[in-house]
Amino acid sequence: MKPLTLIEKAFTLKQIPLFATLNLDLLLSIADKANSVIFEAHDYVFLAQEEANRMYFIVKGHVNLLSASGEAICSLKQGDFFGEESLFSNKPRSYAAFCPVDTLLLTLSRTNLYMIIAECPSVAISFLQIYTAALPYRPIKPLENAS
Amino acid sequence: MAVEKQGFLQRIFNIYPGEERNALLFACLGFLWAFGATCGLKFADALFLIHVGAESLPQLYIIVSCGMIIVASLLLYAFDKLSSYSIFLTVLSLGIGFYFFALFCVYFELGTHSAWFWYTLRTAGYFLFAILMTCYWTFIDQYHHLQDAKRLYSLFTSSIFLGGASTGGIMHLGVLNLSHLIILIIGLLSFTYCWVKKIARDVPLVSHEDVEPESSGIEVSRSFRFLIQSILRSRFTLLLMASNFLIQLLLVITEYNYMSTFDEHFVTVQDVQQIEGSTESRLTLFLGQWIAIVSVCNLLFGLFVYSRLIRRFGISSLLMITPTLLIIAFTGWSFNQTLFFPLIGFFVVEGTLYVIDDNNFNLLLNAVPTKLKYKIRVLIESFFEPVGMLISAILLNLFQAQSRLLGLILAICALAIALALRSQYLRAILINLSDNAIRFQRKAEEWLSQMPFKQRKASEKRLLSILRLKDHQAQLFGCEGLLAFEDAATLKELLASLSRLPLATKIQAIDLLEQSAFAKDSLVLDTLQLWMQNDPSPELRSAVHFYLAKQGLLHPDKALVDLKSPDLQLRGAAIMALRKSLAYVPPTIAAYQQNLSTQHLRELLSSAHEAELCMGLQILGIEGNSQDVDTLIPYLRHPSLSIARTAAWSIAKIDHLDSARQAPLLLDQLELTNDSDIRVACLKALGSTQDSSLVPAIIQASSHFKPIERRVAEDLVYRIGLRTVPTLLTMTKDVTLTDRQRLLAGRILGRLSLPQLRANLFDIIRQEIDRAYFYFYHAHTIQQAYPNDDLSLLKDVLITDYYSVLDFIIQLLGVSGEVEDEELLARSLRSGSPKVRSQGIEALEKTCETVIFRLLQPLIDDIPTREKLSAYVKSGHKALSLTELLDRLATSPAQIDQIMAATLRYNLDLPGWREALRQQMLQQDEIFHHFAYELLES
């Protein structure tokens, strides 16, 4: 796989729903900090319970997410992203990410993700939209002393 | 007593409370591996001389040099694939395996009669020592940041010395035979293996986001070519490598010179004084004495002096010591025949190179780009030593007679490089820090214009291919990108591609063309005409007419018919075209058309439809007449956001604003609106006045600005120029303003007149440091002082205040230190990564005055909280009671402090809270009043 140029990184980001509304100035600034990483077939991007520092965007190939016990949770394809949950929760990875084929990913560090959200609140709203679309309801902790 | 003893140990070893156990673990690790590896190396040295002979040493050196290059390449590859922990364990396992094999050979006398056995033992001993040295530092580097390194690494270096010294002790005793010795090495290496595992299990890593511990992937740019390109791009890395290479050369050349001088001296003395005993034994005795003296000095220096010197003078000053001593030695050597100058050379080779330069190297490595760090260590520690040895041997062969002159020249070069390193150090640290920063202020044009030619062409080609995709958003991205390149050579191809796109994309592309550098290019105008001819669609005609009218290029005769068109854009285009008709038609007709268009414009402006009103406001902005500002300003408060935004942008487009009459209305709007678009437009409009009397109001309005708004405000005040300096200075000093307002003033002041800011900096910062300590101290102590009250909210507010003051201090110091991105410093000190924080502290130390840094250091260093609290008490401050604290917060410029003070007084029902609140209300704004009424009425 060839390395991505700045323009290609920006174009990849543009196709991801999180960044779809950003203009070229912002996309190029973010693309400058996005690293491209290749994972060979059968490589793990990360394992469950590992410390988390980055989130990932799939440029080519696909990634399977596996639970801590090794069961398949879902398969992600080009344009999907993963690994951001632990960046927000400051907890270790709750799942493993496995590449069944050669896969090209873009990665963003926690610091950069936070900076992007501070500068472009639309990214935070996109995160919320994606999360709420995936949840039928917001899990609410039951009252401990409910009568 | 135990606590006092512990405190004493902490002070002499420069260890912070709580660090003792880990420091001991790492120091023991250094001792263990160094003891094992030097046993292997030094005994192999001696055995080689006994069994093979000194005449075979040159062959051995060639084998070691060539082998080291292969080993270093393997190590470089390994660092790409594995963690330093795994590499450390693998190397230790290989070492243990090798010595088991050697033990087997010795026990059964297999091959021990062959010279190759001793060659192998000596070569392996050297490899093991060199690789373990790299592995040890790389491994411990994961657990320490730069500020830790400054305090602790010399302790670890000393532990390595101690390992080497223990080997010397065993050699001196001569009690072990070869088998026993190999068993000892195996034992030491095995113990080291377990120790490494224990550390990995018990000690948490100091994480760094750029070093991805979980990723086993290959970064696309991790090729050898990338490594070379990255090294060439980093001037600091090049200088560091050059400096280390020169040190290697100087080490051999100095050693050669002093050894030959000592030799000559003892031969001469023996001849003259007829002393008994061989020259060799007298020389050995002499060297032995001096080695013992220097070793003791090294140990004491490493343990107690180096870390203090580095904290007192900084690394930049210590870089000069070795080159300066060598220049003195080589200069004096040429004129003076005593042993004084050769002994200086001896002192450098056996002493300062280990205790100063090796430690300096470990610290300087932190300024190398993070992704190169470990590779540079391998390159320097594994490649440079053998290659340096080889080249210095060649140089000595060529210039044997002038070896002192050669040494002097190399020492001068080393000093020059040390000076260059010193000047590049801060920059390199800041570049490393900025690796984490996203440059949002950069425009696409700037990004693209900085691309190398080849990449530029490849990107343009890629964008053209994106234009051919079927996806609408992709097509627009391609168009925007190509226009941002501002490359006239691709314009024709771009327009041809656009011509093939669907109508909806074409219409959006017209907007992009209008904002580009090619808005009035004849090729663009011809293409637009051609599109209209080929496509009769009314939407396209409307978009093109509007485009041409905005450029003043639409002929009134073509537009006249559209004055009553149901298409709003066509109507707008017609109005604009008729208002500029004087360029196309005789004056009488033009006057008539202008009247007609004014009438239609008024209709739009008085329309009840949002779109029509927006069109009218937009036309006023495009025309840019200053008398229209009065018409536009009332619309800023329109309930419809799109109308308010259009009005704001139209005002921003008009260059002439009356600063006495109209500017205050815009300033009010800055306070009232929450919309970023309106604020930015108002700021741009205010900037056009170039009126310095508006500066205080603009800065006061900046409290709640978003980053982009602050950047615009900063830029507009900066453009007003030096006239604003007195105002900015007053505002930076004014403690009644909020930290954000003062910081903005300080930042602009720093850009406009750095000497003015620097002249007043100490006074400003001194009181702010006191404030920071105050907030920090009370945030951490107030709840303990009043355990029965819930003061968690107060604690949060005090912590927020602390960070706000700290941000102010750090950014102002950054501005005064000419740091390009001062926010970067503040961000790095808030970073979750201790490595980033430590680099931020280092950058700060290099940019601000020592007195200020000393005051600030306890606050920003990663020291235990109780140490920071005691720094507050030691500096003569007293702890306030809750009532005193609330009184102070009530007079703070920060609204959150005032609200907190009022809330707590109410919650705790402190005597006279109502009266105090009424007093506060006298000086406060509307928000505070609402809040106060709620409390008073409850």
Side-chain angles (χ1 to χ4, degrees), chain A residues 25 33 38 50 54 111-112, chain B residues 209 212 214 218 436-437 444:
Chain A
D25 296 348
K33 293 297 161 197
I38 297 169
E50 277 185 354
R54 290 179 170 268
T111 313
N112 286 335
Chain B
E209 288 186 350
E212 186 60 70
E214 59 203 323
I218 308 153
N436 277 323

Side-chain angles (χ1 to χ4, degrees), chain B residues 670-706:
Chain B
L670 276 183
E671 299 267 8
L672 289 171
T673 185
N674 287 323
D675 185 68
S676 188
D677 269 9
I678 297 178
R679 276 187 183 159
V680 169
C682 288
L683 284 168
K684 288 193 169 163
L686 288 167
S688 71
T689 62
Q690 291 281 303
D691 183 352
S692 59
S693 68
L694 298 177
V695 170
I698 292 172
I699 289 175
Q700 277 171 2
S702 71
S703 272
H704 309 293
F705 279 4
K706 290 179 182 158

